[in-house]
mmCIF file of all heavy atoms in Angstrom:
data_model
loop_
_atom_site.group_PDB
_atom_site.id
_atom_site.type_symbol
_atom_site.label_atom_id
_atom_site.label_comp_id
_atom_site.label_asym_id
_atom_site.label_seq_id
_atom_site.Cartn_x
_atom_site.Cartn_y
_atom_site.Cartn_z
ATOM 1 N N GLY A 310 76.843 123.437 91.984
ATOM 2 C CA GLY A 310 76.111 124.245 91.025
ATOM 3 C C GLY A 310 74.587 123.848 90.911
ATOM 4 O O GLY A 310 74.108 123.401 91.957
ATOM 5 N N GLU A 311 74.063 123.960 89.741
ATOM 6 C CA GLU A 311 72.669 123.728 89.626
ATOM 7 C C GLU A 311 72.394 122.188 89.811
ATOM 8 O O GLU A 311 73.069 121.323 89.280
ATOM 9 C CB GLU A 311 72.229 124.155 88.217
ATOM 10 C CG GLU A 311 70.702 123.975 87.991
ATOM 11 C CD GLU A 311 70.312 124.462 86.654
ATOM 12 O OE1 GLU A 311 71.143 124.930 85.882
ATOM 13 O OE2 GLU A 311 69.036 124.372 86.297
ATOM 14 N N ILE A 312 71.388 121.856 90.638
ATOM 15 C CA ILE A 312 70.995 120.603 90.858
ATOM 16 C C ILE A 312 69.944 120.032 89.842
ATOM 17 O O ILE A 312 69.182 120.890 89.300
ATOM 18 C CB ILE A 312 70.473 120.310 92.394
ATOM 19 C CG1 ILE A 312 69.239 121.151 92.561
ATOM 20 C CG2 ILE A 312 71.606 120.601 93.352
ATOM 21 C CD1 ILE A 312 68.583 120.928 93.881
ATOM 22 N N PRO A 313 69.894 118.735 89.527
ATOM 23 C CA PRO A 313 69.063 118.246 88.546
ATOM 24 C C PRO A 313 67.511 118.176 89.025
ATOM 25 O O PRO A 313 67.289 118.008 90.253
ATOM 26 C CB PRO A 313 69.569 116.792 88.310
ATOM 27 C CG PRO A 313 70.210 116.318 89.527
ATOM 28 C CD PRO A 313 70.736 117.621 90.116
ATOM 29 N N GLU A 314 66.685 118.267 88.045
ATOM 30 C CA GLU A 314 65.291 118.113 88.281
ATOM 31 C C GLU A 314 64.782 116.565 88.025
ATOM 32 O O GLU A 314 65.453 115.973 87.273
ATOM 33 C CB GLU A 314 64.428 118.976 87.422
ATOM 34 C CG GLU A 314 64.658 120.477 87.659
ATOM 35 C CD GLU A 314 63.955 120.888 88.996
ATOM 36 O OE1 GLU A 314 63.033 120.235 89.445
ATOM 37 O OE2 GLU A 314 64.353 121.948 89.545
ATOM 38 N N PRO A 315 63.868 116.092 88.576
ATOM 39 C CA PRO A 315 63.259 114.733 88.274
ATOM 40 C C PRO A 315 62.840 114.713 86.867
ATOM 41 O O PRO A 315 62.351 115.687 86.304
ATOM 42 C CB PRO A 315 62.156 114.575 89.201
ATOM 43 C CG PRO A 315 62.383 115.473 90.387
ATOM 44 C CD PRO A 315 63.076 116.659 89.789
ATOM 45 N N ASP A 316 63.167 113.609 86.304
ATOM 46 C CA ASP A 316 62.789 113.414 84.874
ATOM 47 C C ASP A 316 62.232 111.998 84.652
ATOM 48 O O ASP A 316 63.017 111.009 84.622
ATOM 49 C CB ASP A 316 63.993 113.583 83.909
ATOM 50 C CG ASP A 316 63.601 113.550 82.433
ATOM 51 O OD1 ASP A 316 62.571 113.074 82.119
ATOM 52 O OD2 ASP A 316 64.492 113.991 81.545
ATOM 53 N N CYS A 317 60.905 111.896 84.559
ATOM 54 C CA CYS A 317 60.242 110.525 84.507
ATOM 55 C C CYS A 317 60.546 109.788 83.225
ATOM 56 O O CYS A 317 60.257 108.643 83.154
ATOM 57 C CB CYS A 317 58.784 110.686 84.798
ATOM 58 S SG CYS A 317 58.362 111.425 86.425
ATOM 59 N N ASP A 318 61.087 110.451 82.228
ATOM 60 C CA ASP A 318 61.404 109.768 80.975
ATOM 61 C C ASP A 318 62.775 109.079 80.992
ATOM 62 O O ASP A 318 63.068 108.335 80.076
ATOM 63 C CB ASP A 318 61.264 110.733 79.850
ATOM 64 C CG ASP A 318 59.907 111.261 79.565
ATOM 65 O OD1 ASP A 318 58.991 110.539 79.828
ATOM 66 O OD2 ASP A 318 59.746 112.436 79.139
ATOM 67 N N LYS A 319 63.579 109.371 81.961
ATOM 68 C CA LYS A 319 64.770 108.784 82.174
ATOM 69 C C LYS A 319 64.857 107.550 83.080
ATOM 70 O O LYS A 319 64.051 107.525 84.041
ATOM 71 C CB LYS A 319 65.914 109.745 82.597
ATOM 72 C CG LYS A 319 66.184 110.799 81.600
ATOM 73 C CD LYS A 319 67.495 111.577 81.953
ATOM 74 C CE LYS A 319 68.718 110.666 81.958
ATOM 75 N NZ LYS A 319 69.992 111.378 82.204
ATOM 76 N N LYS A 320 65.745 106.605 82.864
ATOM 77 C CA LYS A 320 65.735 105.362 83.638
ATOM 78 C C LYS A 320 66.037 105.720 85.133
ATOM 79 O O LYS A 320 65.580 105.052 86.005
ATOM 80 C CB LYS A 320 66.719 104.398 83.047
ATOM 81 C CG LYS A 320 66.787 103.129 83.716
ATOM 82 C CD LYS A 320 67.825 102.170 83.099
ATOM 83 C CE LYS A 320 67.868 100.840 83.797
ATOM 84 N NZ LYS A 320 68.845 99.863 83.147
ATOM 85 N N SER A 321 67.022 106.691 85.260
ATOM 86 C CA SER A 321 67.335 107.066 86.714
ATOM 87 C C SER A 321 66.301 107.878 87.337
ATOM 88 O O SER A 321 66.532 108.247 88.513
ATOM 89 C CB SER A 321 68.772 107.744 86.620
ATOM 90 O OG SER A 321 68.682 108.956 85.865
ATOM 91 N N PHE A 322 65.365 108.403 86.596
ATOM 92 C CA PHE A 322 64.359 109.460 87.037
ATOM 93 C C PHE A 322 65.005 110.831 87.339
ATOM 94 O O PHE A 322 64.193 111.680 87.847
ATOM 95 C CB PHE A 322 63.625 108.978 88.310
ATOM 96 C CG PHE A 322 63.045 107.621 88.114
ATOM 97 C CD1 PHE A 322 63.310 106.555 88.973
ATOM 98 C CD2 PHE A 322 62.078 107.376 87.178
ATOM 99 C CE1 PHE A 322 62.716 105.319 88.792
ATOM 100 C CE2 PHE A 322 61.500 106.111 86.966
ATOM 101 C CZ PHE A 322 61.859 105.041 87.845
ATOM 102 N N TRP A 323 66.139 111.052 86.892
ATOM 103 C CA TRP A 323 66.658 112.413 87.032
ATOM 104 C C TRP A 323 67.345 112.907 85.673
ATOM 105 O O TRP A 323 67.677 112.157 84.832
ATOM 106 C CB TRP A 323 67.948 112.383 88.041
ATOM 107 C CG TRP A 323 67.464 111.968 89.425
ATOM 108 C CD1 TRP A 323 67.525 110.733 89.944
ATOM 109 C CD2 TRP A 323 66.928 112.887 90.350
ATOM 110 N NE1 TRP A 323 67.032 110.854 91.306
ATOM 111 C CE2 TRP A 323 66.555 112.142 91.618
ATOM 112 C CE3 TRP A 323 66.654 114.230 90.400
ATOM 113 C CZ2 TRP A 323 66.118 112.676 92.696
ATOM 114 C CZ3 TRP A 323 66.138 114.818 91.473
ATOM 115 C CH2 TRP A 323 65.847 114.022 92.695
ATOM 116 N N ALA A 324 67.221 114.259 85.604
ATOM 117 C CA ALA A 324 67.669 114.886 84.271
ATOM 118 C C ALA A 324 69.126 114.610 84.043
ATOM 119 O O ALA A 324 69.595 114.582 82.850
ATOM 120 C CB ALA A 324 67.409 116.364 84.285
ATOM 121 N N LYS A 325 69.962 114.529 85.187
ATOM 122 C CA LYS A 325 71.359 114.121 84.994
ATOM 123 C C LYS A 325 71.763 113.367 86.242
ATOM 124 O O LYS A 325 71.063 113.413 87.253
ATOM 125 C CB LYS A 325 72.212 115.442 84.857
ATOM 126 C CG LYS A 325 71.978 116.544 85.930
ATOM 127 C CD LYS A 325 72.764 117.753 85.557
ATOM 128 C CE LYS A 325 72.554 118.844 86.644
ATOM 129 N NZ LYS A 325 73.369 120.132 86.343
ATOM 130 N N ASP A 326 72.777 112.551 86.122
ATOM 131 C CA ASP A 326 73.139 111.628 87.159
ATOM 132 C C ASP A 326 74.411 112.028 87.878
ATOM 133 O O ASP A 326 75.326 112.632 87.316
ATOM 134 C CB ASP A 326 73.305 110.168 86.557
ATOM 135 C CG ASP A 326 72.088 109.726 85.735
ATOM 136 O OD1 ASP A 326 70.995 110.009 86.303
ATOM 137 O OD2 ASP A 326 72.272 109.014 84.829
ATOM 138 N N GLY A 327 74.447 111.750 89.139
ATOM 139 C CA GLY A 327 75.671 111.990 89.896
ATOM 140 C C GLY A 327 75.248 112.492 91.196
ATOM 141 O O GLY A 327 74.152 112.448 91.806
ATOM 142 N N CYS A 328 76.282 113.225 91.820
ATOM 143 C CA CYS A 328 76.089 113.969 93.157
ATOM 144 C C CYS A 328 76.212 115.489 92.947
ATOM 145 O O CYS A 328 77.233 115.904 92.437
ATOM 146 C CB CYS A 328 77.117 113.418 94.201
ATOM 147 S SG CYS A 328 76.862 111.775 94.576
ATOM 148 N N PHE A 329 75.235 116.195 93.449
ATOM 149 C CA PHE A 329 75.175 117.631 93.038
ATOM 150 C C PHE A 329 74.915 118.364 94.512
ATOM 151 O O PHE A 329 74.253 117.867 95.316
ATOM 152 C CB PHE A 329 74.143 117.934 92.048
ATOM 153 C CG PHE A 329 74.262 117.177 90.786
ATOM 154 C CD1 PHE A 329 73.722 115.915 90.649
ATOM 155 C CD2 PHE A 329 75.084 117.641 89.773
ATOM 156 C CE1 PHE A 329 73.855 115.242 89.445
ATOM 157 C CE2 PHE A 329 75.167 116.991 88.560
ATOM 158 C CZ PHE A 329 74.681 115.779 88.393
ATOM 159 N N THR A 330 75.371 119.595 94.506
ATOM 160 C CA THR A 330 75.174 120.388 95.739
ATOM 161 C C THR A 330 74.913 121.856 95.280
ATOM 162 O O THR A 330 75.499 122.278 94.306
ATOM 163 C CB THR A 330 76.250 120.321 96.696
ATOM 164 O OG1 THR A 330 75.853 121.075 97.890
ATOM 165 C CG2 THR A 330 77.592 120.791 96.191
ATOM 166 N N THR A 331 74.155 122.567 96.005
ATOM 167 C CA THR A 331 73.959 123.997 95.773
ATOM 168 C C THR A 331 73.577 124.719 97.048
ATOM 169 O O THR A 331 73.113 124.086 98.006
ATOM 170 C CB THR A 331 72.747 124.204 94.719
ATOM 171 O OG1 THR A 331 72.595 125.586 94.476
ATOM 172 C CG2 THR A 331 71.502 123.634 95.265
ATOM 173 N N GLU A 332 73.839 126.016 97.160
ATOM 174 C CA GLU A 332 73.421 126.828 98.251
ATOM 175 C C GLU A 332 71.972 127.204 98.128
ATOM 176 O O GLU A 332 71.384 127.857 99.020
ATOM 177 C CB GLU A 332 74.270 128.019 98.417
ATOM 178 C CG GLU A 332 75.735 127.698 98.779
ATOM 179 C CD GLU A 332 76.596 128.882 98.853
ATOM 180 O OE1 GLU A 332 76.903 129.509 97.770
ATOM 181 O OE2 GLU A 332 76.964 129.292 99.956
ATOM 182 N N HIS A 333 71.488 127.036 96.887
ATOM 183 C CA HIS A 333 70.003 127.477 96.694
ATOM 184 C C HIS A 333 69.051 126.574 97.472
ATOM 185 O O HIS A 333 69.044 125.402 97.331
ATOM 186 C CB HIS A 333 69.684 127.363 95.233
ATOM 187 C CG HIS A 333 68.385 127.708 94.784
ATOM 188 N ND1 HIS A 333 67.797 127.372 93.571
ATOM 189 C CD2 HIS A 333 67.380 128.502 95.471
ATOM 190 C CE1 HIS A 333 66.523 127.804 93.582
ATOM 191 N NE2 HIS A 333 66.275 128.459 94.615
ATOM 192 N N ASN A 334 68.289 127.130 98.346
ATOM 193 C CA ASN A 334 67.458 126.443 99.210
ATOM 194 C C ASN A 334 66.148 125.955 98.423
ATOM 195 O O ASN A 334 65.084 126.531 98.614
ATOM 196 C CB ASN A 334 67.072 127.329 100.422
ATOM 197 C CG ASN A 334 66.313 126.518 101.493
ATOM 198 O OD1 ASN A 334 65.967 125.409 101.321
ATOM 199 N ND2 ASN A 334 66.129 127.107 102.693
ATOM 200 N N THR A 335 66.306 124.885 97.725
ATOM 201 C CA THR A 335 65.167 124.423 96.983
ATOM 202 C C THR A 335 64.117 123.765 97.836
ATOM 203 O O THR A 335 62.829 123.834 97.456
ATOM 204 C CB THR A 335 65.628 123.305 95.904
ATOM 205 O OG1 THR A 335 66.366 122.352 96.651
ATOM 206 C CG2 THR A 335 66.619 124.025 94.897
ATOM 207 N N PHE A 336 64.447 123.292 99.076
ATOM 208 C CA PHE A 336 63.505 122.564 99.835
ATOM 209 C C PHE A 336 62.459 123.559 100.390
ATOM 210 O O PHE A 336 61.364 123.249 100.437
ATOM 211 C CB PHE A 336 64.219 121.923 101.018
ATOM 212 C CG PHE A 336 63.414 121.061 101.902
ATOM 213 C CD1 PHE A 336 62.953 119.879 101.545
ATOM 214 C CD2 PHE A 336 62.888 121.583 103.089
ATOM 215 C CE1 PHE A 336 62.088 119.076 102.354
ATOM 216 C CE2 PHE A 336 62.046 120.881 103.937
ATOM 217 C CZ PHE A 336 61.653 119.611 103.590
ATOM 218 N N LYS A 337 62.906 124.758 100.767
ATOM 219 C CA LYS A 337 62.046 125.733 101.310
ATOM 220 C C LYS A 337 60.923 126.198 100.321
ATOM 221 O O LYS A 337 59.800 126.360 100.663
ATOM 222 C CB LYS A 337 62.814 126.992 101.721
ATOM 223 C CG LYS A 337 61.994 128.149 102.349
ATOM 224 C CD LYS A 337 62.767 129.376 102.621
ATOM 225 C CE LYS A 337 61.926 130.515 103.198
ATOM 226 N NZ LYS A 337 62.764 131.681 103.512
ATOM 227 N N GLU A 338 61.206 126.049 99.066
ATOM 228 C CA GLU A 338 60.298 126.475 98.006
ATOM 229 C C GLU A 338 59.121 125.405 97.754
ATOM 230 O O GLU A 338 58.071 125.690 97.346
ATOM 231 C CB GLU A 338 60.998 126.668 96.662
ATOM 232 C CG GLU A 338 62.039 127.806 96.753
ATOM 233 C CD GLU A 338 62.985 127.805 95.547
ATOM 234 O OE1 GLU A 338 62.829 126.865 94.749
ATOM 235 O OE2 GLU A 338 63.788 128.772 95.451
#
Side-chain angles (χ1 to χ4, degrees):
E311 186 177 356
I312 60 176
E314 294 289 337
D316 186 342
C317 298
D318 293 327
K319 290 195 63 177
K320 184 177 180 180
S321 66
F322 303 124
W323 295 97
K325 51 186 178 179
D326 301 328
C328 294
F329 305 88
T330 182
T331 181
E332 293 180 289
H333 180 197
N334 188 350
T335 56
F336 185 79
K337 182 181 178 181
E338 298 169 357

